[in-house]
Amino acid sequence: MPKPLHFNAFVMNTASHIHHGQWRRPDAGQTEFNDVDTWIGLAQTLEAAKFDAMFFADVSGLYGDPEADFDVYAHEGLQIPSNDPTVLLAALAVHTQHIGLATTSNVVQNHPFNFARQMSTLDHISRGRIAWNIVTGINENASRNYGLPALTDHTERYAWADEYVDIVYKLWEGSWDEGALLKDKEGGRFSDPSKIHKIFHRSARYRVEGPHLPAPSPQRTPVLFQAGSSTSGREFAARNAEAAFIIAPTRDVARQIVEDTRRRAATHGRLPEDIKFFAGLSFIIGETEAEAKAKEAEYDRYVSVEGYLAHMAILDRTGRVYPPKTPLSEVDTNTSKGFTEWLSKAITDREPLIEDLAWLQARNSRIVGTPEQIADELERWRDAGVDGINVINWVIPGSFEEFGEKVMPVLRERGLAQSEYAEGPLRQKLFGAPLLNDRHPAASYRGAFANGPASWEEADAAAEGSSAPATV
């Protein structure tokens, strides 16, 4: 039997996430994203269809130049307004039993001590179904929202992420030894203090004493997702990720990303299969190929060219989005140069317009056809090295209802999707064990603080004699 694929619903607690303009459709329920019942109902629909997880994207600031007006984002509902997905996960956890719940949190937006506590709390509430998508942020406005003068340099942002994960790993994996939680009513001991440790972490940005306040949750460390395909992003994923989310225009590009990241993982003492790769794809489904094509034309009728261009942040030197009819030869931008290079290579028989880029993006990573044709294509993505799919919706809940009702049964017949959930926490469902394996860098902190420093004075003295001054 072929290896089954994993399926996540890729969503965001906002009205316009990836496919801009679709919120205007009569059947688009994402306009009611403030209503918790929208998400509870979707979570239960996805669980009934045996999706592995709900994967929530998030940003903590506006796209584009922070000095320019943000009219287009407000008009389009383009991730403003939006709500915090981490808070929402608690509600979804108590209305579901099996589906994983993944949140995105930027290392800039939350102090690592507080974030570690939130994740442990959610993992307890969900009985071990929480995942964290680790991101470094790309928005200048988000950086300003947290007191920074500007967006930190790309390479430096990943150095920051390295510091951040080092702290939360120490809290999740090292602060509490196994057996520390006693609940001994007769002996009057709730926990064993000899097995609970302060971490005395100090680094360029943080000084965290500990101990971690929550007792170990079912997974200790949430399942670790990472989204970012730059060289720095792949290297970070190779060291830290258990699952990587990729957006690739073709299967060949996906294969290259997967193979490169897995090769990098091996250099860090991990196995290539320690990381699962999820490709972001959207689907237009018809009972016949002709019906699917007709539905595609209807979807395209709602495409917002301005929305896609704003999301890609193709900005002029004043920070404003270019008008759609602007010839590419007249575009002078310091942002998103990769997109404009992509357009110049994609259209060679005429002068490309900037709106062509929006249409390329709207139709990118789109699979159109019958359930059988879609299953054929997903099998080819699996053969390219992809382990799972982040299903991108057009409308909520209809896109996921249709995929669950029409495509999932065909995939199950071919052994390409699970029929039932495995037992245990999310990591056990994905990898066969509830805790991080010993090859992951976080595992090195298990038991590491049993004989650690008892004060900052001892910690600082130890650091001065260490060859690794960044952390204790």
Side-chain angles (χ1 to χ4, degrees):
M1 293 293 291
K3 179 178 69 172
L5 288 163
H6 300 288
F7 290 89
N8 298 332
F10 185 45
V11 294
M12 187 171 177
N13 200 354
T14 191
S16 192
H17 175 207
I18 297 294
H19 288 309
H20 304 297
Q22 300 298 322
W23 63 268
R24 297 178 291 123
R25 286 175 47 174
D27 58 340
Q30 59 262 42
T31 53
E32 308 311 308
F33 72 90
N34 283 324
D35 186 344
V36 69
D37 288 336
T38 296
W39 298 108
I40 291 171
L42 178 59
Q44 292 172 339
T45 294
L46 294 168
E47 189 165 77
K50 303 300 187 294
F51 273 69
D52 291 82
M54 292 180 75
F55 184 118
F56 280 88
D58 192 38
V59 293
S60 50
L62 299 169
Y63 287 88
D65 188 329
E67 302 296 343
D69 65 59
F70 54 89
D71 295 8
V72 64
Y73 301 99
H75 289 157
E76 295 290 333
L78 202 166
Q79 303 181 12
I80 179 175
S82 66
N83 296 333
D84 184 346
T86 304
V87 177
L88 179 61
L89 294 196
L92 303 185
V94 298
H95 286 88
T96 55
Q97 291 183 311
H98 301 288
I99 193 167
L101 302 167
T103 188
T104 296
S105 185
N106 185 334
V107 298
V108 175
Q109 74 185 69
N110 203 342
H111 190 283
F113 181 84
N114 189 58
F115 177 73
R117 189 184 189 200
Q118 289 176 334
M119 291 298 98
S120 293
T121 303
L122 285 170
D123 207 50
H124 280 301
I125 292 172
S126 66
R127 295 180 173 85
R129 293 185 283 131
I130 298 301
W132 171 32
N133 178 35
I134 311 167
V135 295
T136 62
I138 59 171
N139 298 336
E140 183 100 3
N141 177 242
S143 297
R144 295 186 182 190
N145 287 338
Y146 295 104
L148 298 174
L151 181 65
T152 307
D153 173 76
H154 182 269
T155 301
E156 183 61 20
R157 293 203 303 273
Y158 276 102
W160 187 339
D162 284 331
E163 291 182 45
Y164 196 98
V165 298
D166 196 42
I167 297 168
V168 296
Y169 292 164
K170 289 176 179 179
L171 293 167
W172 287 326
E173 296 291 336
S175 187
W176 287 65
D177 296 339
E178 289 297 326
L181 186 66
L182 301 173
K183 298 184 182 179
D184 179 6
K185 293 186 177 182
E186 291 185 5
R189 298 185 306 157
F190 200 85
S191 302
D192 182 349
S194 71
K195 295 184 177 182
I196 305 171
H197 314 290
K198 294 183 175 181
I199 65 170
F200 293 107
H201 173 103
R202 67 179 178 91
S203 61
R205 293 174 179 82
Y206 300 107
R207 187 176 174 95
V208 179
E209 183 167 303
H212 191 42
L213 293 181
S217 68
Q219 298 184 117
R220 281 190 175 254
T221 297
V223 173
L224 299 169
F225 274 85
Q226 188 268 350
S229 57
S230 67
T231 300
S232 297
R234 294 184 199 186
E235 190 64 23
F236 184 86
R239 293 191 304 272
N240 296 283
E242 297 176 276
F245 173 35
I246 61 175
I247 291 284
T250 66
R251 297 189 303 275
D252 287 341
V253 172
R255 185 191 303 275
Q256 293 169 23
I257 295 172
V258 169
E259 291 178 350
D260 177 71
T261 309
R262 285 192 165 134
R263 177 187 59 78
R264 293 172 186 269
T267 68
H268 293 287
R270 305 178 71 195
L271 298 179
E273 58 267 28
D274 285 343
I275 307 175
K276 292 184 181 292
F277 291 83
F278 288 75
L281 297 172
S282 54
F283 302 88
I284 300 177
I285 308 160
E287 294 298 331
T288 65
E289 188 172 348
E291 180 185 326
K293 291 293 185 182
K295 290 174 68 173
E296 181 180 33
E298 178 66 11
Y299 285 34
D300 283 347
R301 192 165 69 86
Y302 286 95
V303 163
S304 170
V305 169
E306 292 81 0
Y308 281 99
L309 293 177
H311 196 174
M312 289 183 282
I314 308 298
L315 310 173
D316 64 21
R317 294 291 175 170
T318 70
R320 287 166 174 76
V321 177
Y322 276 99
K325 298 297 183 183
T326 305
L328 186 63
S329 59
E330 297 178 13
V331 171
D332 179 20
T333 181
N334 195 38
T335 62
S336 305
K337 287 183 178 293
F339 284 126
T340 57
E341 292 172 1
W342 176 33
L343 179 59
S344 65
K345 294 176 182 177
I347 298 178
T348 59
D349 60 341
R350 60 177 174 82
E351 169 72 8
L353 304 177
I354 198 68
E355 70 175 353
D356 292 317
L357 184 56
W359 282 107
L360 283 174
Q361 186 72 351
R363 292 164 177 162
N364 185 36
S365 302
R366 173 194 292 188
I367 300 177
V368 182
T370 66
E372 291 75 19
Q373 289 171 327
I374 289 170
D376 291 342
E377 184 63 15
L378 290 179
E379 192 164 359
R380 288 188 279 269
W381 279 85
R382 184 208 60 188
D383 293 343
V386 166
D387 301 283
I389 306 299
N390 271 5
V391 180
I392 302 170
N393 65 275
W394 304 91
V395 296
I396 288 175
S399 295
F400 296 115
E401 290 174 340
E402 187 175 42
F403 191 88
E405 293 169 3
K406 296 181 178 180
V407 179
M408 279 295 204
V410 177
L411 294 172
R412 290 192 188 100
E413 289 175 2
R414 302 187 186 190
L416 290 170
Q418 65 181 359
S419 298
E420 297 295 337
Y421 286 105
E423 293 299 318
L426 178 59
R427 182 176 287 108
Q428 187 164 332
K429 288 175 166 63
L430 294 174
F431 293 98
L435 303 180
L436 282 166
N437 64 52
D438 292 340
R439 296 178 295 276
H440 194 278
S444 66
Y445 292 119
R446 294 169 185 162
F449 300 102
N451 298 306
S455 67
W456 277 112
E457 289 75 14
E458 289 185 19
D460 291 340
E464 289 174 5
S466 171
S467 59
T471 61
V472 174

